[in-house]
Amino acid sequence: MKAIYSILGIVIIAAIGFGIYKYTTAPEATNVTMQEAKITDISPMLRLCSVEIYDDVPVKGSIGNRHMFARMALKGSISFDLDSIAMAENNDTISVALPKEIVDIYESTDANSYQVIDVWCDSFFGNSNFTTAEENSIKSKVRDNYRKEIYRKGYVERARKEAADNLTSLLKGLTGKTVIVSDPTPQGTM
């Protein structure tokens, strides 16, 4: 009799264990609906991106006798529009001319990406506050200066070289032909 109770107890424990296992691993019911995918714009896919940029830059500006100092994080990229590449094929050789670079610089939207450190006024009783429009105009000038700095530091030149190397290996892998990529403006065109 003890053996029957032992076997019955083991079966009950196993059934309870199996039920708990099934309950905890069962997928949750969801209200997911699926729709057909629609492609509206493929132009971003036709860009060859060779350099991603993320940098903290100082922001120093003044309007009248009011001054500000801040820090701002910038994001951006240096890319090339593959749709505008000039390409010629001669027997087993493909000749490609690298197009003008596209330099995009944006203010980062990450948390704490913009921080005003100090504002002051030269006038003793003057107001040192800046409006949002005034801050945005100062930040716009900082982005424009940073764009020039990218060219001066050689980031664009490096991006153009990497793009030429990437394009060479991409086209050679796709076609199996000899690929010659020329760069008419190795330092870039601002």
Side-chain angles (χ1 to χ4, degrees), residues 111-141:
N112 300 319
S113 62
Y114 177 68
Q115 180 182 15
V116 176
I117 297 169
D118 193 13
V119 293
W120 67 94
C121 183
D122 292 338
S123 172
F124 185 66
F125 292 110
N127 183 1
S128 61
N129 293 333
F130 285 85
T131 66
T132 302
E134 290 171 332
E135 282 188 40
N136 286 339
S137 72
I138 291 171
K139 290 192 282 187
S140 176
K141 290 176 187 174

